[in-house]
Amino acid sequence: MFPDLADQLRAREQQGLRRFRQIVESPQASHVTIDGHDYLAFSSNDYLGLANHPDLIHSICEGAQHYGVGAGASHLINGHSTAHHILEETLAQFTGFPRALLFSTGYMANIGVVTALAGREDAIFADKLNHASLNDAALLSRAKFIRYSHLDLAALEQRLADSNARRKLVISDAVFSMEGDIAPIKQLIALCEKYHALLLLDDAHGFGVLGQQGRGSLFLPDSESVHSPNIVYMATLGKAAGVFGAFVAAQADVVETLIQSARSYIYTTATPPLLSHALLTSLKLIELDEWRREALLQNIAQLKNDLLSSCWKLLPSSTPIQPLLIGESHEAVRISRALRERGILVPAIRPPTVPRGKARLRISLSTTHQPHDILRLTQALNELTLDS
Ligand SMILES: *Cc1c(COP(=O)(O)O)cnc(C)c1O
């Protein structure tokens, strides 16, 4: 059957694009065990080191005692538990929106929001470097899909001004997942208000990490428009929050519309309530442990400083996502492998995740990295420069 599959797989291999999974035997942390070997890892989105936190493990056990394991049904049948409900109310309050709604994953949240809010007569305006889930959502919605160059607000404004679509939905990563840079949120909100558009802001990498008490990108000092009714805010709970899931926070009418018509909300089983129970603990740690964000900022500063006088070029980013631009896929893979031989994991990110010729190493930093961990990475990189 389908003999072309083997040809395609071979072609992928030859272009340095074949992907492999490695089997991780330990919990997620700055050091992980793979094949019985210890590796220093710069490859997870567990930015605050919560994925294996003892308080979360305790809350998961407590949640299991209280709620059992499976939710048993979708939210609209009878799977919506007290734990889900309290978490939604807490998330709404934490992010400053009237209501919030839990989704199973960020991928499903983006699919649900975009398809519920936009259809054939509508137009979607999207940054070209948005996450794949936002692009898939736009295609599925059948709205007119207009992509503007990365961060090009003038191009966006032109397209908004030219559009006579029924509804306009601007969608953007808040922190771009493969670049680490931050969208001009304040200006995006202003444009959306001017052209009566909604802004779907995907803060998968900002929630927990950025803004006062980790409340996300809308709480950065220069965003300050958090109360605009034009914002639909999405964030994930499997990255900095260390657990699993995602939520959307917005005006009550938007959230109610999602409950009525977001298909990836309606036609799926609710997540285990014990996850929501543990996420309440996670939110407390996010809010109270300011030292986690401070340590993370120090790690970011150290990485930049240690690579300053080397030939390695970090992309401009002030977030824990610190990409080293390499260019060719084969070369990115070669360097990633060489680091791995030295016991360090940094993933090579290749097309189609990033544009052609823009393959990179995506270094992601965590609170749990120690200064000597970062030194070990930069020293290994500097040795590699000499090798090549
Ligand atoms: C990870 C990510 C998602 C998907 O979230 P999941 O909960 O992992 O499905 C969506 N958007 C962005 C920008 C992401 O980085």
Side-chain angles (χ1 to χ4, degrees):
M1 282 297 282
F2 298 161
D4 55 320
L5 292 183
D7 299 339
Q8 274 175 11
L9 288 170
R10 241 187 322 276
R12 211 174 244 280
E13 175 93 56
Q14 281 159 3
Q15 291 160 16
L17 296 179
R18 177 140 176 224
R19 294 162 178 227
F20 295 91
R21 300 172 305 170
Q22 51 203 2
I23 301 176
V24 179
E25 294 150 9
S26 61
Q28 197 58 256
S30 56
H31 287 258
V32 294
T33 312
I34 294 171
D35 264 343
H37 297 288
D38 176 86
Y39 289 93
L40 170 59
F42 293 94
S43 41
S44 91
N45 303 311
D46 178 28
Y47 302 120
L48 300 177
L50 297 182
N52 188 34
H53 194 287
D55 291 1
L56 293 194
I57 295 169
H58 175 79
S59 294
I60 287 283
C61 297
E62 194 180 75
Q65 295 292 347
H66 199 93
Y67 298 101
V69 179
S74 66
H75 283 277
L76 294 185
I77 301 301
N78 81 337
H80 187 64
S81 85
T82 312
H84 296 125
H85 205 74
I86 295 173
L87 179 61
E88 286 181 347
E89 287 174 346
T90 310
L91 285 166
Q93 208 166 36
F94 191 60
T95 53
F97 285 88
R99 282 191 75 181
L101 187 71
L102 284 173
F103 279 82
S104 295
T105 69
Y107 191 100
M108 290 167 77
N110 283 339
I111 297 281
V113 171
V114 175
T115 56
L117 297 179
R120 282 183 198 282
E121 294 112 80
D122 306 322
I124 290 170
F125 306 82
D127 190 292
K128 277 199 176 153
L129 296 188
N130 277 350
H131 191 259
S133 58
L134 292 169
N135 293 336
D136 293 0
L139 293 174
L140 194 61
S141 76
R142 303 176 188 214
K144 185 166 185 196
F145 187 26
I146 298 163
R147 297 172 82 202
Y148 57 89
S149 298
H150 185 46
L151 307 181
D152 189 345
L153 292 171
L156 170 60
E157 174 152 24
Q158 190 62 55
R159 306 305 296 263
L160 282 168
D162 291 346
S163 169
N164 51 12
R166 182 187 63 158
R167 290 182 185 159
K168 301 173 191 175
L169 181 62
V170 175
I171 57 188
S172 179
D173 283 17
V175 175
F176 287 85
S177 57
M178 297 301 144
E179 315 290 307
D181 55 352
I182 301 173
I185 295 170
K186 201 173 160 183
Q187 291 90 325
L188 285 172
I189 294 169
L191 281 179
C192 286
E193 288 177 343
K194 181 168 173 192
Y195 293 97
H196 309 291
L198 271 185
L199 172 64
L200 169 57
L201 199 63
D202 176 338
D203 204 20
H205 299 278
F207 184 75
V209 173
L210 299 179
Q212 268 170 40
Q213 296 156 314
R215 288 168 200 262
S217 303
L218 289 170
F219 289 81
L220 283 167
D222 50 352
S223 299
E224 75 191 31
S225 300
V226 66
H227 294 300
S228 168
N230 297 50
I231 303 174
V232 179
Y233 179 77
M234 194 291 288
T236 61
L237 301 168
K239 291 174 179 163
V243 185
F244 185 73
F247 69 96
V248 174
Q251 298 302 303
D253 282 351
V254 170
V255 170
E256 197 54 39
T257 300
L258 297 178
I259 294 173
Q260 303 307 318
S261 50
R263 297 173 67 85
S264 60
Y265 181 75
I266 299 169
Y267 298 107
T268 195
T269 302
T271 51
L274 57 86
L275 298 179
S276 290
H277 185 73
L279 278 159
L280 291 170
T281 304
S282 174
L283 283 184
K284 283 209 187 86
L285 293 169
I286 287 175
E287 184 177 352
L288 299 177
D289 285 0
E290 202 56 53
W291 65 267
R292 291 180 189 276
R293 279 176 292 278
E294 281 162 13
L296 190 53
L297 282 177
Q298 272 172 21
N299 286 342
I300 296 167
Q302 189 193 334
L303 178 74
K304 287 186 175 187
N305 192 55
D306 289 359
L307 287 179
L308 210 53
S309 56
S310 75
C311 73
W312 299 102
K313 290 287 157 275
L314 288 168
L315 293 179
S317 156
S318 58
T319 68
I321 302 168
Q322 292 288 324
L324 272 183
L325 192 60
I326 307 287
E328 285 315 307
S329 294
H330 284 296
E331 184 62 2
V333 170
R334 182 184 74 80
I335 296 160
S336 176
R337 285 209 184 117
L339 287 171
R340 194 190 160 105
E341 281 158 18
R342 289 163 169 78
I344 301 172
L345 293 184
V346 181
I349 308 289
R350 294 160 280 173
T353 309
V354 292
R356 273 177 187 283
K358 298 238 169 116
R360 65 200 62 183
L361 295 185
R362 182 178 182 273
I363 301 170
S364 56
L365 295 169
S366 168
T367 298
T368 54
H369 288 121
Q370 300 298 313
H372 59 85
D373 293 331
I374 293 167
L375 194 63
R376 207 177 128 198
L377 169 65
T378 53
Q379 282 177 345
L381 279 168
N382 286 333
E383 279 170 31
L384 288 170
T385 334
L386 297 175
D387 287 353
S388 57

